[in-house]
Amino acid sequence: MSDVTVFVQTCPERDAHIAPTLESLRQSDAEFKVLRQPEDQRHCRFFLDVLREMASVNTRWVIRLEDDVLVSKHLVHNFLSWPALREPDFGVGWLFTSEMVKLCTPADPRGFRLRGDPVMPNAFGVGLHYETARACVAEYERWIDEYGCGLHHCTRRGCEHHNSKPHPVCQFGQDALFSRTAWGLGARVFLSVPSLVEARIVPTVVGTVYPPDTDSRQFFAGPDFNGDWRRDSSRSR
């Protein structure tokens, strides 16, 4: 039995686009469960349900994936053999690292980068201990109590209300929740080298519009992702 539980978080708007992600997972070494947002549920409440699922697993580790990714064929092996998991300050692992993030963070020869900031974007694939997931539940419940349900994707179709909140969504959205919770526990964010997850181009469900000069490298792992790569466990100890 594997020591990691894998979830895929999705919503009805992605029903027509999720198939490549699921096929990628079927071709990997992962058993997984799809968590689909109900039609009549607000996103922040659904995300809280996702966190509660993550916190209730009977495995030591849990991986949460978004519905617009491709994964390594050896996702579970590569994650469980990742040296970062044995670091005393490991809080949460980013399994996807965009090319832009790589330019801003140093690489460690042991197979990871450390994030020097409590806010980390693009949580397309994250791995964490179930106890950290429990802390995420408590933190997100606190955010909802304090700021309401306008933190991120606050309606079925978008997050048009978040600009009226005292804190921007990049600091109090679902991506940043994992990284900020880890920092709050005195731990840190580790970025996988190489990436175990790659992003796919699918239609946005929140109406995000980026400036014409946006560097698309921030959204992809690029050559840092090789779906066939498998870590040599004898060298990871």
Side-chain angles (χ1 to χ4, degrees):
M1 180 178 177
S2 173
D3 199 22
V4 61
T5 301
V6 180
F7 292 113
V8 182
Q9 177 182 335
T10 189
C11 61
E13 290 85 355
R14 287 280 174 80
D15 285 350
H17 306 284
I18 193 175
T21 295
L22 301 183
E23 181 59 26
S24 174
L25 278 160
R26 292 188 190 102
Q27 294 181 13
S28 77
D29 59 351
E31 295 183 2
F32 62 95
K33 179 180 180 180
V34 177
L35 303 177
R36 183 179 183 272
Q37 181 178 349
E39 295 274 0
D40 59 350
Q41 188 178 35
R42 300 175 86 178
H43 179 84
C44 60
R45 294 297 174 184
F46 170 63
F47 184 53
L48 182 56
D49 288 344
V50 171
L51 294 173
R52 287 170 174 164
E53 284 264 9
M54 295 172 63
S56 64
V57 299
N58 59 1
T59 55
R60 183 180 183 187
W61 302 100
V62 57
I63 291 176
R64 169 199 165 268
L65 301 169
E66 297 195 353
D67 55 11
D68 52 356
V69 302
L70 301 175
V71 303
S72 163
K73 291 180 180 179
H74 308 287
L75 174 67
V76 169
H77 167 82
N78 289 336
F79 176 73
L80 293 178
S81 60
W82 189 21
L85 301 187
R86 295 186 290 279
E87 291 295 304
D89 57 348
F90 180 87
V92 59
W94 245 246
L95 309 185
F96 165 87
T97 306
S98 76
E99 292 195 69
M100 290 300 289
V101 170
K102 286 185 289 187
L103 295 176
C104 302
T105 54
D108 186 290
R110 292 171 291 172
F112 55 80
R113 295 178 175 85
L114 272 173
R115 175 69 170 177
D117 189 292
V119 177
M120 178 67 188
N122 300 334
F124 299 140
V126 294
L128 57 158
H129 195 278
Y130 74 90
E131 291 183 345
T132 306
R134 290 178 179 175
C136 287
V137 171
E139 184 70 353
Y140 201 66
E141 288 175 335
R142 183 183 69 80
W143 289 3
I144 290 178
D145 288 343
E146 187 169 353
Y147 300 109
C149 211
L151 295 172
H152 190 58
H153 299 192
C154 53
T155 67
R156 284 290 321 137
R157 292 294 301 176
C159 50
E160 59 268 23
H161 300 308
H162 80 259
N163 288 329
S164 65
K165 297 298 174 181
H167 295 279
V169 68
C170 64
Q171 292 184 336
F172 287 87
Q174 70 176 32
D175 286 0
L177 172 73
F178 297 107
S179 57
R180 291 175 67 94
T181 300
W183 276 67
L185 294 172
R188 291 296 177 262
V189 176
F190 287 70
L191 288 64
S192 177
V193 179
S195 291
L196 306 183
V197 170
E198 176 60 296
R200 298 169 41 231
I201 297 178
V202 298
T204 176
V205 298
V206 297
T208 305
V209 177
Y210 296 98
D213 60 348
T214 299
D215 191 330
S216 63
R217 290 183 301 166
Q218 68 180 289
F219 305 115
F220 297 96
D224 193 52
F225 174 78
N226 177 351
D228 294 322
W229 178 78
R230 189 179 193 276
R231 177 176 285 111
D232 183 348
S233 299
S234 66
R235 298 182 179 181
S236 64
R237 294 183 173 86

